[in-house]
């Protein structure tokens, strides 16, 4: 028998499999519609089908540039309504998000705050609340708390998501994706990581593990001190930019056309942050210093500058660990942990066991503890 990668992923999402079996009996989402705006790839298929097994009607779209056609086909075959197709066009994507909200879902599973922010433009009465997956979404939704006024649990702020996915898994998949996309060496190269939060720490540690020399740039001096004590170079920003061979960002608006005079010949720019605004790709490509651009297969772009320097850009500044040929994203187990948090948090909102005082707050401690126990029990139960 030949099975698909999606079947492989579902087989190894052991937490989600256990929850799906339980949801099949307890049906927490019976009669409810869940609107989702999250990357559509193999692991989210496992999550969405778990919610469906709990009785949910699902109406789903992806995020910019990360929708995988086989995931869409599988979801549709399993009865999930999927809106749209892969796109890098923000306006087209906004249309897809609008279609999800037009179904007036009872619960929202958001990634980047796209659905909750748009809900405020055209509110409807039945929205119970939901979840937000990322740091970027939490930052966007925090100032909107007084208008959202419903339970919204932020998966990113669970310590489990922080260390299992953001730190360990993003770090590993950033190195995996760099090698997969460029096939270039890391040994002995200078890597500058912008942002030393959970993701940046993992990216820095994993490039160091791949024998690169790693520097860190962070706007927060306390965080910079941490990077220094962790053994990374922490030169002033402009020195770090000039020295960089590979730059992996974890923050917004960190590299723009104004940096072109500083960038070294042959630098490879890649963004691991959620939104493509962290490296201003359009600004770099359109800069007066750029004489020519060469587009290679597999989402590689080279800018040739008038002074002879060449700047390489991965995935035009989109999140590169879900881009390029055969993108795998973060490890199955890390996503199984994060998505188990998602399933349990949506269940808590559906059952009204959290109220409007839990608007844009971290995952309840009891859910974290239950998921951690369940993961460890499976490891040690043979
Ligand atoms: N690629 C993935 O698979 C993946 C997974 C999870 C999260 N993310 C995304 O990665 C990004 C970072 O997440 P995180 O959890 O590490 O966030 P975080 O809040 O823990 O850390 C961000 C760090 O960036 C620093 N920073 C802010 N502006 C800066 C600037 N201009 N220059 C340098 N440093 C700056 C902050 O001081 C902070 O230390 C977010 O966009 C998040 O959504 C990506």
């Amino acid at each position: 028998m030949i099975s698909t990668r999606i079947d492989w992923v579902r087989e190894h999402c052991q937490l989600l499999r256990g929850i799906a079996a339980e949801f099949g009996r307890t049906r927490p989402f019976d009669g409810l519609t869940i609107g989702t705006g999250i990357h559509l790839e193999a692991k989210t298929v496992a999550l969405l089908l778990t919610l469906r097994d709990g009785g949910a009607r699902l109406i789903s779209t992806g995020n910019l540039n990360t929708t995988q056609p086989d995931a869409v086909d599988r979801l549709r075959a399993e009865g999930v309504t999927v809106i749209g197709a892969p796109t890098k066009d923000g306006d087209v994507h906004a249309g897809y998000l609008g279609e999800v909200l037009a179904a007036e879902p009872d619960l929202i599973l958001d990634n980047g705050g796209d659905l909750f922010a748009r809900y405020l433009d055209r509110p409807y009465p039945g929205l119970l609340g939901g979840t937000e997956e990322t740091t970027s979404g939490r930052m966007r939704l925090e100032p909107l708390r007084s208008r959202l006024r419903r339970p919204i649990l932020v998966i990113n702020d669970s310590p489990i998501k922080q260390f299992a996915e953001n730190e360990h898994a993003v770090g590993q998949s950033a190195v995996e994706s760099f090698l997969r996309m460029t096939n270039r060496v890391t040994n002995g190269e200078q890597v500058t990581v912008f942002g030393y939060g959970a993701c940046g720490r993992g990216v820095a540690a994993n490039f160091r593990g791949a024998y690169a020399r790693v520097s860190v740039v962070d706007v927060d001096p306390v965080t910079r001190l941490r990077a220094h004590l962790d053994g990374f170079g922490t030169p002033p920003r402009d020195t770090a930019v000039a020295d960089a061979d590979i730059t992996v960002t974890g923050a917004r608006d960190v590299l723009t056309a104004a940096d072109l005079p500083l960038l070294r010949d042959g630098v490879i720019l890649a963004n691991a942050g959620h939104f493509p605004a962290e490296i201003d790709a359009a600004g770099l490509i359109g800069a007066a210093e750029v004489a020519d651009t060469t587009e290679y297969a597999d989402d590689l772009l080279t800018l040739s500058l008038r002074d002879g320097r060449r700047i390489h850009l991965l995935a035009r500044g989109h999140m590169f660990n879900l881009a390029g040929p055969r993108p795998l994203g973060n490890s199955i187990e890390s996503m199984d942990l994060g998505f188990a948090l998602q399933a349990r948090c949506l269940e808590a909102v559906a059952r009204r066991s959290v109220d409007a005082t839990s608007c844009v707050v971290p995952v309840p401690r009891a859910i974290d503890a239950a998921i951690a126990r369940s993961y460890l029990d499976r490891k040690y139960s043979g």
Side-chain angles (χ1 to χ4, degrees), residues 135-136 166 170 195 197-199 218-219 250-251 254 272 274 278 319 321 330:
T135 318
S136 302
N166 295 14
V170 173
C199 293
D218 200 291
V219 286
V254 291
H274 185 75
E278 299 192 8
M319 214 169 62
N321 63 340
N330 299 325

Side-chain angles (χ1 to χ4, degrees), residues 39 111-112 133-139 156 161-162 165-167 169-170 173 193-201 217-221 223-224 237 249-255 271-275 278 319-322 329-330 335:
H39 312 294
N111 192 26
E133 174 77 4
T134 64
T135 318
S136 302
R138 191 239 301 126
M139 286 160 65
N156 182 74
K161 167 88 159 60
Q162 290 282 321
E165 184 189 330
N166 295 14
E167 186 157 347
V170 173
S173 71
V193 179
F194 283 78
Y196 197 64
C199 293
R201 284 199 299 280
V217 174
D218 200 291
V219 286
D220 178 1
T223 307
R224 229 165 42 236
R237 179 194 184 279
T249 75
R252 294 188 69 88
D253 297 327
V254 291
L255 280 172
N271 168 43
H274 185 75
F275 287 113
E278 299 192 8
M319 214 169 62
F320 80 111
N321 63 340
L322 271 176
N330 299 325
M335 299 308 291

Side-chain angles (χ1 to χ4, degrees), residues 146-378:
S146 62
R147 295 172 59 209
L148 288 165
R149 283 180 288 134
R150 13 182 82 63
I152 299 174
L153 303 176
V154 181
I155 308 304
N156 182 74
D157 295 342
S158 157
I160 296 176
K161 167 88 159 60
Q162 290 282 321
F163 57 70
E165 184 189 330
N166 295 14
E167 186 157 347
H168 291 297
V170 173
Q172 287 177 338
S173 71
V175 172
E176 182 273 326
S177 299
F178 176 82
L179 297 173
R180 177 172 46 83
M181 291 180 79
T182 68
N183 200 205
R184 297 280 304 277
V185 71
T186 52
N187 307 59
E189 297 299 303
Q190 174 65 45
V191 175
T192 301
V193 179
F194 283 78
Y196 197 64
C199 293
R201 284 199 299 280
V203 171
N206 277 273
F207 272 99
R208 177 157 68 184
Y211 299 96
R213 293 174 293 126
V214 181
S215 297
V216 165
V217 174
D218 200 291
V219 286
D220 178 1
V222 176
T223 307
R224 229 165 42 236
L225 173 64
R226 179 174 185 178
H228 170 75
L229 296 180
D230 287 346
F232 295 107
T234 51
R237 179 194 184 279
D238 287 0
T239 312
V241 173
D243 276 352
D245 279 317
I246 305 162
T247 306
V248 186
T249 75
R252 294 188 69 88
D253 297 327
V254 291
L255 280 172
T256 66
D259 294 309
L260 276 174
L262 294 172
L263 292 173
R264 185 202 280 188
D265 182 29
V267 68
I268 297 173
L269 304 178
N271 168 43
H274 185 75
F275 287 113
E278 299 192 8
I279 296 174
D280 179 13
L284 288 168
I285 294 164
E289 292 97 319
V290 176
D292 195 16
T293 58
T294 309
E295 183 112 43
Y296 295 89
D298 300 336
D299 239 348
L300 303 171
L301 182 73
T302 295
L303 314 182
S304 300
L305 305 193
R306 296 188 193 287
D307 63 11
R309 284 177 297 145
R310 283 151 54 86
I311 312 282
H312 310 292
L313 184 58
L314 304 193
R316 289 180 179 255
H318 286 263
M319 214 169 62
F320 80 111
N321 63 340
L322 271 176
R326 202 167 174 265
L328 295 175
N330 299 325
S331 64
I332 293 173
E333 286 78 0
S334 70
M335 299 308 291
D336 189 29
L337 279 163
F339 286 167
L341 294 170
Q342 275 282 6
R344 289 297 186 203
C345 286
L346 285 165
E347 180 189 26
V349 178
R351 293 195 186 285
R352 280 77 160 174
S353 50
V354 279
D355 61 20
T357 56
S358 296
C359 185
V360 194
V361 301
V363 171
R365 172 80 189 147
I367 292 182
D368 280 329
I371 300 286
R373 216 176 282 121
S374 177
Y375 189 91
L376 291 170
D377 285 351
R378 278 164 201 278

Side-chain angles (χ1 to χ4, degrees), residues 115-130:
L115 288 169
F116 280 116
R118 280 178 177 76
Y119 159 80
L120 290 176
D121 296 337
R122 287 188 52 205
Y124 53 85
L127 181 65
L128 297 173

